[in-house]
Amino acid sequence: MAYRYLGRSGLQISDITYGNWLTHGGQIENDTATTCVHAALDHGITTFDTADVYANTVAEQVLGDALAGQRRESLEIFTKVWGPTGPKGPNDSGLSRKHILESINGSLKRLGTDYVDLYQAHRYDPETPLEETMLAFADVVRQGKALYIGVSEWTAEQLRAGHALADELGIHLISNQPQYNMLWRVIEEEVVPASEDLGVSQIVWSPLAQGVLTGKYEPGKPAPAGSRATDEAGSKTVARYLGDDVLTAVQKLKPIAADAGLTMPQLAIAWVLSNPNVASAIVGASRPEQLADNVVASGTTLDQEILDRVDEAVGTVVERDPSKTDTPTERPS
């Protein structure tokens, strides 16, 4: 397993992060979740990402139970705040001081830890003054409940404003968690350059484009049984990638992966990690053997010929528009 520094900090994280969106507390049983977490540890993954909104807090509990008994100092545990949780009342979402300070306590209890290594704003909250949000995060850090601060799916402008306030408050905003993969590159034009200026790394989700980059979805054919496209929750996230033009382009990646000596998932993850501003790629698992395949991408270097061939294969179907960043116009209800 390879490790990279997260932002302009001294914190190193595994370049493969284990994430439990959709899986823990939802798609897989708790015993299977524990088996997958232990497999991740066996493969050298030390970084684990979750959020209080996943399965309405249950995912945090499952992850905390699975990590029980591990040496805390050897792990990097990340969680997020913003999405609606609990009974979903008017103050059960967003980035208000009230919601942040109450949410961190709930997350720590469920995760079974005194602190998280990274506490992230899951999205931007346009209904809360940014100053209020950053001051609440600063208090979380000063109370010893989080070591560093991060965000997710923030625009370049939002990152710059948040980072400036964090600096004034003496805390470290060191990461952004965006969607990023061969097909979805909306961060490249604005977010990555801003992040490089600020000393912020990307921890990217969906490096496999919700499984599409594994090559298992084929144009003109129904989705495989048991795949994310056939799951009620997962189908909404994968739908954007299921056009025949996209699936046809993805099939062109198969010989490229073979020539590189990689499986399709390994090629997709290695491609994401070839961006120097990316510190880690988040992968999930419903079976431990998936992790055995994914971790091979750790530390893998793709030569320029392979990178060029990837661009040629998928270039016509890549989404690059920075305005597609998933930034909300209102607080979730």
Side-chain angles (χ1 to χ4, degrees):
M1 181 60 56
Y3 299 85
R4 300 184 180 191
Y5 286 101
L6 186 56
R8 197 172 294 148
S9 79
L11 178 66
Q12 294 190 66
I13 65 174
S14 52
D15 67 0
I16 306 290
T17 292
Y18 181 94
N20 71 350
W21 175 50
L22 293 180
T23 51
H24 293 189
Q27 292 179 338
I28 61 177
E29 297 297 326
N30 291 0
D31 287 349
T32 303
T34 298
T35 300
C36 289
V37 168
H38 290 175
L41 292 165
D42 289 343
H43 287 297
I45 293 175
T46 59
T47 309
F48 295 84
D49 180 81
T50 187
D52 60 3
V53 73
Y54 297 166
N56 195 14
T57 74
V58 174
E60 285 184 325
Q61 183 71 56
V62 174
L63 180 61
D65 291 345
L67 290 174
Q70 300 296 321
R71 181 177 184 270
R72 177 64 183 89
E73 294 83 356
S74 298
L75 305 174
E76 304 86 46
I77 299 176
F78 303 166
T79 193
K80 312 181 200 73
V81 58
W82 175 81
T85 55
K88 303 181 182 179
N91 290 307
D92 289 336
S93 66
L95 298 177
S96 68
R97 179 176 181 82
K98 177 176 173 63
H99 188 56
I100 288 174
L101 295 183
E102 292 173 347
S103 294
I104 186 61
N105 292 332
S107 290
L108 295 179
K109 182 177 180 180
R110 290 185 290 271
L111 289 166
T113 182
D114 294 330
Y115 70 97
V116 291
D117 297 88
L118 184 70
Y119 199 39
Q120 303 160 96
H122 208 161
R123 292 293 187 274
Y124 190 83
D125 182 0
E127 297 182 27
T128 300
L130 186 56
E131 293 82 0
E132 176 182 340
T133 293
M134 298 312 296
L135 183 56
F137 276 131
D139 287 342
V140 168
V141 172
R142 292 185 181 118
Q143 292 166 7
K145 296 177 181 179
L147 303 185
Y148 302 90
I149 297 301
V151 300
S152 178
E153 293 287 356
W154 282 27
T155 66
E157 180 182 4
Q158 291 163 353
L159 270 170
R160 291 188 185 279
H163 193 275
L165 284 169
D167 272 356
E168 289 179 18
L169 294 165
I171 60 172
H172 303 287
L173 195 165
I174 59 174
S175 67
N176 179 46
Q177 188 177 128
Q179 181 175 193
Y180 184 56
N181 56 60
M182 292 177 183
L183 304 173
W184 191 265
R185 308 188 194 182
V186 303
I187 64 171
E188 289 183 341
E189 183 177 333
E190 296 178 359
V191 168
V192 167
S195 297
E196 290 172 337
D197 289 344
L198 299 171
V200 168
S201 290
Q202 312 303 316
I203 306 165
V204 303
W205 60 275
S206 195
L208 301 181
Q210 304 300 308
V212 169
L213 289 172
T214 66
K216 65 184 175 184
Y217 299 100
E218 299 183 42
K221 296 184 179 180
S227 65
R228 183 159 293 180
T230 64
D231 176 80
E232 182 177 354
S235 61
K236 298 175 184 177
T237 63
V238 74
R240 65 167 64 122
Y241 296 120
L242 294 180
D244 279 354
D245 57 340
V246 174
L247 299 182
T248 298
V250 169
Q251 294 303 307
K252 297 177 184 177
L253 296 170
K254 288 184 175 179
I256 302 174
D259 289 348
L262 301 170
T263 65
M264 287 278 281
Q266 290 164 3
L267 176 67
I269 295 168
W271 182 90
V272 161
L273 293 174
S274 70
N275 186 322
N277 190 232
V278 172
S280 190
I282 300 173
V283 302
S286 56
R287 304 185 310 276
E289 55 267 27
Q290 293 172 320
L291 291 167
D293 182 80
N294 291 169
V295 297
V296 173
S298 175
T300 298
T301 300
L302 301 179
D303 61 36
Q304 191 58 48
E305 179 189 3
I306 293 293
L307 296 173
D308 290 343
R309 289 175 64 190
V310 167
D311 285 346
E312 183 179 355
V314 301
T316 60
V317 296
V318 171
E319 181 57 72
R320 300 179 185 274
D321 183 357
S323 70
K324 299 289 180 121
T325 299
D326 185 18
T327 186
T329 57
E330 60 184 8
R331 182 184 293 178
S333 57

